[in-house]
Amino acid sequence: MKQIVIVLILVAVALTACTGDGVYDQAYTASGDGTNELELNKTEQFPRNEDLNVVVKLNSHDSDVEVVATFFDPDGEQVGDPLSVTADQNVGTVVLGLDWEGKGDEEFWEDGRWSVRIEVDGEEVDTLEFRVG
């Protein structure tokens, strides 16, 4: 009986750890101007005039999935609109980011602890924190 309870607990923990359909694997923040993860530098510390990117790794999936990243400044305010990309079934990695040069002014990003919320197919799967400045 004890073994059955342990197995059920392990199954429940495993199911809880799965997000939605299990498409999401992991994510990390990265600096650089590229749109390919190989052109970026994994980091949690950004200069005030650098692009703020998040690299999202996906497990294999048999249909298109929508990946959304929403960035928040140190005050908890959303920065711009959420960024969204649809990854078809052959895509295992997506890059979404805020382009410093494209923001239209010469002001630097605000110093402090930022965050980025990641959603896959409408379900929040992760929130990452990083520093600017």
Side-chain angles (χ1 to χ4, degrees), residues 7 30 33 40 59 68-69 77 100 107:
V7 169
D33 277 332
L40 303 174
N59 293 316
V68 176
E77 298 294 322
W100 181 73
E107 290 187 32

Side-chain angles (χ1 to χ4, degrees), residues 1-131:
M1 181 66 171
K2 221 181 213 186
Q3 291 172 332
I4 292 174
V5 170
I6 291 172
V7 169
L8 290 175
I9 290 172
L10 291 174
V11 168
V13 168
L15 290 174
T16 302
C18 293
T19 56
D21 54 9
V23 172
Y24 176 75
D25 181 29
Q26 63 177 312
Y28 62 88
T29 53
S31 64
D33 277 332
T35 57
N36 180 309
E37 75 173 309
L38 300 176
E39 302 168 322
L40 303 174
N41 302 306
K42 184 176 181 180
T43 187
E44 293 178 8
Q45 179 72 42
F46 293 82
R48 295 182 67 207
N49 63 343
E50 180 65 79
D51 293 352
L52 310 176
N53 299 297
V54 62
V55 178
V56 180
K57 301 284 208 168
L58 304 171
N59 293 316
S60 65
H61 46 100
D62 57 8
S63 62
D64 293 353
V65 295
E66 182 182 28
V67 180
V68 176
T70 307
F71 286 83
F72 297 91
D73 69 16
D75 296 326
E77 298 294 322
Q78 181 175 317
V79 178
D81 293 328
L83 305 172
S84 176
V85 66
T86 299
D88 70 29
Q89 65 186 19
N90 300 317
V91 173
T93 302
V94 298
V95 176
L96 301 114
L98 298 175
D99 180 37
W100 181 73
E101 296 88 355
K103 69 184 199 135
D105 58 34
E106 294 184 22
E107 290 187 32
F108 295 114
W109 299 120
E110 185 177 342
D111 281 336
R113 183 153 298 281
W114 287 57
S115 64
V116 57
R117 182 180 63 221
I118 302 160
E119 299 174 30
V120 175
D121 276 347
E123 182 179 342
E124 185 176 335
V125 294
D126 208 347
T127 300
L128 305 176
E129 292 189 353
F130 58 95
R131 272 195 98 45

